[in-house]
Amino acid sequence: MAPKFSIPTAPGAMPVLLPFRMRGPAADPFGTLRFLAAIPWRWLLAMVALWPAIAFAQSGVAAEGAYRILMRWIPFLFTQGFLFNVVISVLAMALGTLVGAFAGLGLIARNRMLRGAVQVYVSFFRNAPWLVLLFIILLAFPFEIRAFGTTIPLPGWIKTVIGLALPVSANVAEVVRGAVQSVPTAQWEASESLAFSRRQTVWQIILPQCVKRMLPPWMNWYAIVTMSTPLCSLLGVGEIISLTRQAMEAEGNSPELLIPFYGFVLLLFLLYCYPIALLTQRLERRFAVKL
């Protein structure tokens, strides 16, 4: 973009550089899934069909040998690895949604102290790096809890669920707040004219209308959490990335297996998140607020 100058008419005055005007689309909260959903399904099928040949050709190892090695490990990597990633994402999203829903209601509370405390919580965890939070949770939480003579273990995957749920809850809180504030004020005024209390208005009138508004961004965040679960491998959790490394070490840790094995991991996440992206895009168009 070329700079623009303002040429003053006064004698001896110097030209003034005007501020830049940034032109372009506004920030898209669904950018991650929009990009994924923009991939034509025919391209996706072609990728699935051509992926083994491309990966083996780039690896430099015989396709038959690499394919045989990968096929031997696919059931183990899928059932013991990828499905565990899905379980972690579901639990983290469920916990984050539960906490985030109450935090979102706290952001619109009339009590100023409560609203301020929740705002600090939301602002902190929305801007905190996820990997740093995971390490803090791993090191700060004990490995077991003893209560009433009973020892309750806290394995790494439970700490991972808590670590992922914290930033998710902060972002879900903003989703809830935005959905509630998007409801026309006439709904609030009508409920007050009918002698509804604020609690009745929120739970019986406002929140039922917010569900369809919150669903697309909620699904977007679930896809983001799912794609973030490989971070658990840095904490020693036995998910798909950790098991993939173990499988390659069991096969001699040959560098020629990097592309086939990690390509298979990439393919699993793509096949899982792509339908979510398409569904999110469809729901967004269906539930778009008509102004």
Side-chain angles (χ1 to χ4, degrees):
M1 180 184 298
K4 297 182 179 180
F5 292 90
S6 175
I7 308 298
T9 58
M14 298 296 293
V16 179
L17 177 64
L18 298 178
F20 288 93
R21 294 183 180 180
M22 301 302 295
R23 298 179 180 178
D28 187 3
F30 303 101
T32 303
L33 290 188
R34 282 189 195 278
F35 173 78
L36 191 58
I39 302 176
W41 64 270
R42 297 178 181 85
W43 292 11
L44 186 63
L45 292 179
M47 187 183 304
V48 173
L50 298 177
W51 166 78
I54 297 175
F56 295 141
Q58 293 179 349
S59 64
V61 69
E64 183 179 355
Y67 182 78
R68 190 185 310 114
I69 294 174
L70 180 61
M71 288 298 295
R72 186 165 60 246
W73 287 98
I74 280 179
F76 173 75
L77 294 177
F78 180 78
T79 57
Q80 303 297 323
F82 181 72
L83 292 183
F84 192 47
N85 285 69
V86 174
V87 170
I88 291 176
S89 66
V90 171
L91 294 178
M93 197 66 197
L95 180 60
T97 301
L98 179 63
V99 177
F102 287 99
L105 296 177
L107 290 176
I108 61 173
R110 289 180 173 178
N111 190 310
R112 183 176 299 179
M113 294 184 60
L114 174 61
R115 190 168 62 249
V118 175
Q119 184 63 55
V120 171
Y121 170 86
V122 171
S123 300
F124 177 80
F125 285 109
R126 284 191 70 195
N127 298 280
W130 291 27
L131 184 58
V132 176
L133 287 176
L134 289 175
F135 275 114
I136 291 177
I137 296 297
L138 178 66
L139 299 177
F141 278 46
F143 293 97
E144 60 183 17
I145 298 177
R146 296 182 181 179
F148 305 102
T150 304
T151 301
I152 303 176
L154 282 180
W157 69 271
I158 293 182
K159 299 179 183 180
T160 300
V161 169
I162 298 174
L164 292 176
L166 290 175
V168 169
S169 65
N171 287 279
V172 169
E174 285 294 336
V175 171
V176 174
R177 179 196 60 79
V180 171
Q181 292 183 347
S182 68
V183 176
T185 57
Q187 300 287 337
W188 295 88
E189 297 171 356
S191 62
E192 290 180 1
S193 66
L194 295 174
F196 277 78
S197 65
R198 183 174 177 84
R199 178 177 299 180
Q200 290 176 326
T201 302
V202 171
W203 288 97
Q204 299 180 20
I205 299 177
I206 303 301
L207 288 183
Q209 300 181 59
C210 294
V211 172
K212 65 180 182 180
R213 304 167 188 254
M214 294 185 292
L215 189 57
W218 182 88
M219 294 179 63
N220 181 53
W221 276 108
Y222 173 68
I224 293 175
V225 171
T226 302
M227 290 183 287
S228 300
T229 52
L231 293 175
C232 308
S233 63
L234 301 176
L235 307 181
V237 179
E239 45 80 59
I240 189 168
I241 298 298
S242 301
L243 297 184
T244 298
R245 289 201 300 261
Q246 296 176 14
M248 289 190 298
E249 291 176 358
E251 296 294 338
N253 206 16
S254 176
E256 289 81 6
L257 297 177
L258 286 173
I259 293 180
F261 273 81
Y262 284 112
F264 173 70
V265 175
L266 177 63
L267 187 62
L268 286 178
F269 279 97
L270 180 63
L271 293 178
Y272 185 77
C273 294
Y274 184 72
I276 298 177
L278 293 179
L279 182 59
T280 302
Q281 196 175 51
R282 179 175 301 179
L283 291 176
E284 183 187 2
R285 291 195 299 265
R286 180 178 178 182
F287 295 148
V289 178
K290 307 296 190 302
L291 297 178

